[in-house]
Amino acid sequence: MTQSTRYPTASAAQPDSSTAAGDDPTEGEGPVVLLHVEPDAESAELLAAFVERFADGVTVRAVDGMAAALDALDAGAADCLVTEQRLPDGSGVELVERLRARGSDLPVAFHSTCCEAATEARALDAGADAYFVKQPDRGQYECLLDWLRGLGGDVDADARATTARSSAGTGAVAESTDSEE
């Protein structure tokens, strides 16, 4: 399965005070806050557990829909965002469109049950940086973690202190063949 990835740009946010454990590219800079927009509580817990175990310096904050995500982002509560396409009050594509219409360059990845090429294309066209299809193996989380690690060079203390930062992203496609555990 092909996983689409655009190399990310960083945006500003105020991190919260908790951190997770593992290996992190932003060590010493304070936690990176990942806002996870996921209506399924079990899926949200799985991603949070994986990040806690394997991504030092990353905190996951989960919300269950578009409205809650927009509220959290308005409060400056994230350095990056991972969203499901199917949300109870809209879609991940709509969420990205609203973020980009506001001028936000917050890095956004989809981690979705939607595996249709048209949905993936709409997400990337709307301004998402990456699109990962949920799979029954752990490789799906490795792909997300690799994407998150790619943010390490762009997420820095200066970026956190501002509310917006313009940076151009480039397009790329990465193929995932991970199937650990």
Side-chain angles (χ1 to χ4, degrees):
M1 161 136 309
T2 300
Q3 302 295 330
S4 297
T5 304
R6 289 184 186 173
Y7 290 97
T9 59
S11 182
Q14 297 299 320
D16 70 26
S17 60
S18 61
T19 59
D23 60 332
D24 171 50
T26 60
E27 189 173 312
E29 298 175 3
V32 170
V33 179
L34 181 150
L35 182 63
H36 187 203
V37 187
E38 174 60 66
D40 178 61
E42 185 175 321
S43 291
E45 287 177 28
L46 284 171
L47 179 63
F50 185 82
V51 169
E52 180 178 322
R53 181 163 183 199
F54 296 107
D56 187 32
V58 179
T59 298
V60 176
R61 178 173 181 206
V63 296
D64 64 0
M66 185 167 62
L70 291 169
D71 289 346
L73 293 170
D74 286 344
D79 294 302
C80 57
L81 182 134
V82 172
T83 187
E84 167 63 73
Q85 166 59 9
R86 295 178 178 115
L87 302 174
D89 56 350
S91 72
V93 170
E94 291 173 293
L95 175 59
V96 173
E97 288 171 342
R98 291 184 66 180
L99 287 175
R100 299 306 184 229
R102 294 176 172 189
S104 173
D105 64 349
L106 187 77
V108 176
F110 277 72
H111 187 226
S112 182
T113 55
C114 295
C115 59
E116 296 86 19
T119 302
E120 180 179 339
R122 283 195 333 265
L124 295 172
D125 287 346
D129 299 295
Y131 196 96
F132 305 102
V133 175
K134 289 181 182 174
Q135 301 170 6
D137 61 15
R138 192 179 126 204
Q140 66 181 319
Y141 298 112
E142 289 294 338
C143 291
L144 278 169
L145 189 56
D146 287 345
W147 174 78
L148 187 59
R149 285 181 182 132
L151 300 177
D154 291 337
V155 178
D156 59 24
D158 291 337
R160 292 175 203 279
T162 62
T163 57
R165 186 180 112 206
S166 297
S167 179
T170 59
V173 175
E175 187 163 316
S176 170
T177 57
D178 293 350
S179 59
E180 298 99 14
E181 297 180 3

